[in-house]
Amino acid sequence: MSEKPKAVYLGENDIPRAWYNVLPDLPRPLDPPLHPVTKGPVGPDDLAPLFPMGLIQQEVSLERYIEIPEEVRDVYKIWRPTPLIRATRWERALQTPARIYYKYEGASPAGSHKPNTAVAQAYYNKVEGVRKLTTETGAGQWGSALAMGCRFFGLELQVFMVRSSYAQKPYRRVLMETWGAKVVPSPSDLTQAGRKILEDSPDTPGSLGIAISEAIEMALQADDVKYSLGSVLNHVLLHQTVIGLEAKRAFELIDDYPDMVIGCVGGGSNFGGIALPFVKEKLEGRDIRLIAVEPTSCPTLTRGRYEYDYGDIAGMTPLLLMYTLGHDFIPPASHAGGLRYHGDSPIISLLVREGIMEARAYNQLEVFEAAVDFARAEGFVPAPETAHAVKAAMEEALKCRESGEPRCILFNFSGHGYLDLAAYDEYLAGRLSDV
Ligand SMILES: *Cc1c(COP(=O)(O)O)cnc(C)c1O
């Protein structure tokens, strides 16, 4: 198989013209979100104060393909199609007969897959007359992606950034501000939810759940202000399917096909993006494994409960049926690898529940070790989140070394780690430990 190319660069015409919607292909329908107070099913009208109708419709659509607006596709052209690169040097270093490919989503201006949905969300808000968006961000990947999307479509953006990250990771705040967004540490005194938490626990490091409560509270205060979520929801995974669709097209061109598709999971969007376009073929009998990877310190899919839970700490969001560690879960501060959300996408949760996807968890030391091994062979330094997928790809490649089977491994390189070098510094200096 050594005649396969090192990298596949598709052309602009290969940027998908439609996103793939997995909802009509699921083995059973998703259970509806429930209203946070009445606990009845949530309808479009309940979501209208938070999201534009265009996105609400996508959330429940049963159309298999949803056209990508030209305005969004035009922005995608800045960095899409992203390359599908074969990790030949790493294969040799690992002495594996496996073929390892990664889809390099680090190519976007924000350095991750997140602009794929940020740009689309900004667009749908803009065409419905929204003036300003609010959102939360952890280490700042989502905030920076949305800051860019909002800038491109002329929207204001208020970002609530988890306090511990705001203090420890200044560079993405600078990136957000460079693209014109306003950023405050969360909990903040801009909202009731924030003020209450500051009063009760003034030293809290903050959490995504708290920041979501703040962003939602602010969005509910005006008609032309809406809220935006960077993962978990169906429309977010929908927008991310450009990753898997492009990967399939690239594999067609080189006449190869993955035996397994691997992605790290925080809320499930980059893994869904690369894996969902393969679900239909899997359900039709194709032998392909879809592997979700998470940290042992936030083991939502591997150790969470499958039940209805809130998306935020204050219980303001609709309840979603998903794997969850409980909406008041806050991961240990010594965890450096991201992927800290307490819940997971209902789509991914259902597919794991039904045995169509599998999930595994790794400790942070082995994850950084794999990432450094990858970087020394291939050059690119993965984001700590991405490093979880790198670790799983490595484990599978080493299994192939044992068995002699030349499997084809695809993993999503969800983002680069050049703004997370502080975490690598901790690891290289021996200051990281397993949590
Ligand atoms: C945000 C992020 C993730 C985790 O979010 P998902 O919605 O699960 O994809 C993973 N990798 C990178 C680089 C990220 O920025």
Side-chain angles (χ1 to χ4, degrees), residues 36-92:
V37 180
T38 67
K39 306 277 155 81
V42 163
D45 290 348
D46 297 310
L47 295 174
L50 285 182
F51 302 108
M53 265 309 153
L55 295 176
I56 294 172
Q57 280 160 4
Q58 291 180 353
E59 195 59 22
V60 295
S61 170
L62 291 177
E63 305 233 357
R64 188 168 286 126
Y65 289 98
I66 295 179
E67 192 181 323
I68 303 177
E70 255 334 288
E71 292 88 336
V72 172
R73 228 174 143 264
D74 273 342
V75 175
Y76 280 175
K77 287 175 187 169
I78 297 173
W79 72 94
R80 307 211 69 84
T82 60
L84 178 74
I85 305 174
R86 183 161 169 201
T88 39
R89 295 177 50 85
W90 198 36
E91 289 168 16
R92 280 199 292 278

Side-chain angles (χ1 to χ4, degrees), residues 111-114 141-142 172 230-232 236-237 264-271 339 344 383-386 413-416:
S112 77
H113 64 290
K114 289 194 171 78
Q141 287 104 328
W142 171 241
R172 285 207 183 81
S231 188
V232 179
V236 180
L237 274 68
C264 66
V265 175
S269 75
N270 89 83
F271 175 59
L339 310 173
D344 246 314
E385 293 85 353
T386 309
F413 196 112
S414 55
H416 66 61

